[in-house]
Amino acid sequence: MFQTIIFDFDLTLVNSLYAITKGLNKMAVRFGLPLVNESDTRRVMSSEAKDFWRNLWGYHDEAWNDYFLAEVAGQEKFHLETAPGAEELLRRLKSEGKSIGLATNREDAWDALTSIGLARYFDAAVGSGEVEQGKPAPDMLLLIMNKLKADPALSLYIGDAAVDMEAAQRAGIRGVGLLAGGTSRDELISAGAWQVRLAIQDLGKLIHSLT
């Protein structure tokens, strides 16, 4: 039975496509950049924060960071939606004494959890701001497993993107890919996924097994 469950944030614990796209288009209007749609957002969401803008608009202006923090970030939380079944699963895992962690390419992992009211379920959280390299490098998973004193053989990492699965494989733990994030089963498996499920509400039996 698995003892440590580590989650990704965007499109795993929360549906953030609408919120992020809305904020990006506010920035686009402010700086005269091309408007984006949810497909554009999905394409870059797994990028490290430092690469996000470049992958979206082809270059990076420091003024965008300042505007994002001042005018966009504080509003995003009002448009985030917790994934169906996510809080119920976290509550169950907490009641069973599991170690629960978050590893996200967002810079501030605890701020992300606090914004949707889920921080109380987590024992540790790591964002890209705490490590040399974000996913697909294994750095943040190795760090959070160290914080949780986790046994890799009894640990899972739950995510929606190929970079999540690659990071898990490189960190020596099992990765479970979620199709709800839009990445195909083949892409997830090719990136190293141990198992693939449709969405977070389909994880209960898997977490309570060890094959």
Side-chain angles (χ1 to χ4, degrees), residues 27-191:
M27 289 184 61
V29 170
R30 169 65 177 80
F31 291 100
L33 297 163
L35 295 177
V36 301
N37 56 39
E38 290 190 358
S39 294
D40 298 322
T41 303
R42 189 190 299 275
R43 175 175 55 82
V44 302
M45 276 181 70
S46 298
S47 305
E48 289 187 64
K50 62 185 179 183
D51 295 325
F52 185 89
W53 311 115
R54 189 171 291 104
N55 291 342
L56 185 64
W57 284 310
Y59 66 105
H60 175 213
D61 188 325
E62 287 294 334
W64 301 351
N65 291 346
D66 297 336
Y67 182 82
F68 182 84
L69 292 173
E71 303 293 337
V72 177
Q75 298 300 309
E76 181 191 42
K77 64 184 178 182
F78 298 113
H79 303 287
L80 293 174
E81 299 177 355
T82 303
E87 187 160 11
E88 291 82 354
L89 177 61
L90 292 169
R91 188 181 299 117
R92 177 182 174 187
L93 295 176
K94 194 72 172 176
S95 71
E96 294 172 350
K98 306 292 188 189
S99 293
I100 306 174
L102 181 78
T104 172
N105 271 350
R106 287 186 178 231
E107 287 195 42
D108 190 328
W110 282 114
D111 182 66
L113 287 173
T114 300
S115 71
I116 55 170
L118 297 180
R120 64 186 181 277
Y121 297 110
F122 285 77
D123 302 297
V126 172
S128 62
E130 297 180 61
V131 294
E132 179 108 1
Q133 293 181 291
K135 297 174 289 185
D139 302 27
M140 66 176 61
L141 287 178
L142 294 172
L143 177 57
I144 198 165
M145 286 197 299
N146 182 59
K147 289 185 175 188
L148 294 169
K149 297 178 170 43
D151 179 347
L154 299 178
S155 301
L156 284 180
Y157 183 49
I158 315 297
D160 68 284
V163 296
D164 299 323
M165 300 301 100
E166 183 179 342
Q169 186 176 62
R170 293 170 66 183
I173 66 174
R174 291 173 170 90
V176 179
L178 301 182
L179 296 171
T183 306
S184 72
R185 179 182 297 273
D186 287 346
E187 288 177 286
L188 291 168
I189 291 174
S190 294

